[in-house]
Amino acid sequence: MGTKPIITKLADKINYWNVLLYADSGAGKTVFAGSDNKVLFIAPEDDGLISAQRVNSNATVDKITVKQWEDLKNAYEWFADHPEDCDSYNAFAIDSITEMQNLAKGYVLRMTADDKARKGQDPEKMQLQDYGMMHELVENLVRGFNDLPVNVLWTATAKKVEDADGNEFLVPELQGKKDYGISMKMVALMTSYGYMRTEVHDVSAPTEDDPKAVKKVKRRVIYWEDTGTIRGKDRTISLAPFTVNMTLQQMRRTIAGELVRGADGKITRKEGAAAPVKKATVRTSPKAVQKVGSSEAPKVKEDEPLELDSIEA
């Protein structure tokens, strides 16, 4: 005889989301990740963070430097053991899952080097079982970070693959035996994932001499659903099918229901909503976290400001 299962009510609001953003190198993934207040970067390099801080000079960003797999694992274990420290941040930005897999690969090669040497094998060459270990490490850590009580933004570079019928499409760049099987497995663990690219559009800019004049403007567009050549999904039902010039802060507030996506893909306030009051923010940082210095600089020039409001808590 069965026992009565535990039944819980599903809330309308998403408590914490896990979003993966993938794009070509240089498209602005790291800049996007730094476009909110109280973001903790977990990343191997500083170059992208400097660009993000200069573009989003009002943002407050901390960083945990990751140089090898053990650093990434330690960062997760700290917050798993001290979940209250997650409250200091609006989001973790893990930049990137592509590099995270490379760190896992290096860890596997180090762990198996002696055994391969005894067997006369090349210690720097991955064996079939090594790939299995690497994929398991990555999947377990992705699940672990996603289970923390904090929003998590993952970034990844993009790669072009083919399906069985020879149709090409873009997916996050992750190594896998069947080319994109691992990519699809990782995005299945996300609340939403989307492909970002910079597009150039003609916008009306009439003058006295030429009332039909147009100008070319850049727009940073994120596609949140399948388009045939792009893969994406949006379980939040607030971002799809695409967003234009959205910041991480705007994404967070849109998913929370504070802002809305317009028909043109731009994020706006809800009808009748008052502009938020700007306020100072006091925050604390957990151990092993470094501040990333800010530098005042002009924001990226596009057809609309990157931010609806100045960065706030």
Side-chain angles (χ1 to χ4, degrees), residues 270-285:
K270 286 185 174 180
E271 187 174 349
V277 177
K278 298 177 184 179
K279 58 183 179 180
T281 304
V282 178
R283 62 197 175 93
T284 57
S285 300

Side-chain angles (χ1 to χ4, degrees), residues 16-163:
Y16 301 105
W17 44 257
N18 311 295
V19 171
L20 187 148
L21 181 68
Y22 69 108
D24 297 335
S25 297
K29 299 183 298 295
T30 305
V31 169
F32 176 86
S35 60
D36 196 359
N37 216 2
K38 299 189 294 185
V39 176
L40 175 63
F41 270 86
I42 302 175
E45 301 294 342
D46 287 333
D47 292 348
L49 290 181
I50 293 172
S51 298
Q53 197 65 25
R54 286 178 176 172
V55 170
N56 306 295
S57 57
N58 291 325
T60 49
V61 176
D62 290 347
K63 178 176 184 282
I64 294 176
T65 300
V66 174
K67 295 188 178 298
Q68 57 186 1
W69 178 259
E70 291 88 336
D71 297 330
L72 193 61
K73 183 172 180 287
N74 179 71
Y76 161 69
E77 290 176 345
W78 172 268
F79 287 104
D81 292 339
H82 303 83
E84 66 279 2
D85 282 359
C86 294
D87 295 339
S88 298
Y89 298 97
N90 285 324
F92 286 2
I94 302 179
D95 191 28
S96 68
I97 193 172
T98 304
E99 179 59 26
M100 176 177 162
Q101 189 186 56
N102 289 333
L103 295 177
K105 180 178 179 179
Y107 174 79
V108 170
L109 288 175
R110 292 197 305 275
M111 293 300 101
T112 59
D114 291 344
D115 186 56
K116 287 175 182 174
R118 286 193 295 269
K119 295 178 180 178
Q121 299 174 339
D122 185 350
E124 296 185 2
K125 184 177 181 179
M126 292 281 284
Q127 302 293 328
L128 184 61
Q129 62 271 23
D130 296 338
Y131 281 103
M133 185 186 304
M134 178 185 72
H135 297 325
E136 184 176 357
L137 286 172
V138 172
E139 180 178 349
N140 288 344
L141 208 60
V142 168
R143 290 181 182 274
F145 271 110
N146 284 357
D147 284 342
L148 293 175
V150 66
N151 300 319
V152 181
L153 175 72
W154 301 86
T155 69
T157 51
K159 69 175 180 179
K160 186 179 292 185
V161 298
E162 289 186 2
D163 62 18

Side-chain angles (χ1 to χ4, degrees), residues 136-266:
E136 184 176 357
L137 286 172
V138 172
E139 180 178 349
N140 288 344
L141 208 60
V142 168
R143 290 181 182 274
F145 271 110
N146 284 357
D147 284 342
L148 293 175
V150 66
N151 300 319
V152 181
L153 175 72
W154 301 86
T155 69
T157 51
K159 69 175 180 179
K160 186 179 292 185
V161 298
E162 289 186 2
D163 62 18
D165 297 322
N167 300 311
E168 293 185 336
F169 57 96
L170 294 167
V171 297
E173 184 174 9
L174 289 166
Q175 297 179 29
K177 184 178 180 181
K178 294 185 178 180
D179 203 18
Y180 61 91
I182 297 299
S183 297
M184 294 295 96
K185 189 172 185 178
M186 290 300 103
V187 298
L189 302 178
M190 305 296 167
T191 310
S192 301
Y193 77 101
Y195 174 73
M196 180 173 71
R197 68 185 181 194
T198 300
E199 301 177 351
V200 177
H201 291 256
D202 289 334
V203 174
S204 177
T207 64
E208 290 184 6
D209 297 331
D210 185 3
K212 295 183 179 180
V214 297
K215 65 178 180 180
K216 293 186 180 297
V217 297
K218 291 181 182 179
R219 294 180 179 177
R220 187 172 295 144
V221 183
I222 306 176
Y223 293 91
W224 298 100
E225 64 180 22
D226 292 351
T227 67
T229 58
I230 294 170
R231 291 292 185 269
K233 73 175 181 185
D234 178 31
R235 289 177 179 161
T236 73
I237 320 176
S238 57
L239 306 173
F242 64 91
T243 52
V244 175
N245 287 349
M246 181 178 67
T247 65
L248 177 58
Q249 183 197 64
Q250 291 175 347
M251 184 179 80
R252 173 173 59 84
R253 294 176 61 189
T254 300
I255 293 173
E258 299 171 9
L259 303 174
V260 294
R261 174 196 170 277
D264 59 357
K266 295 177 182 178

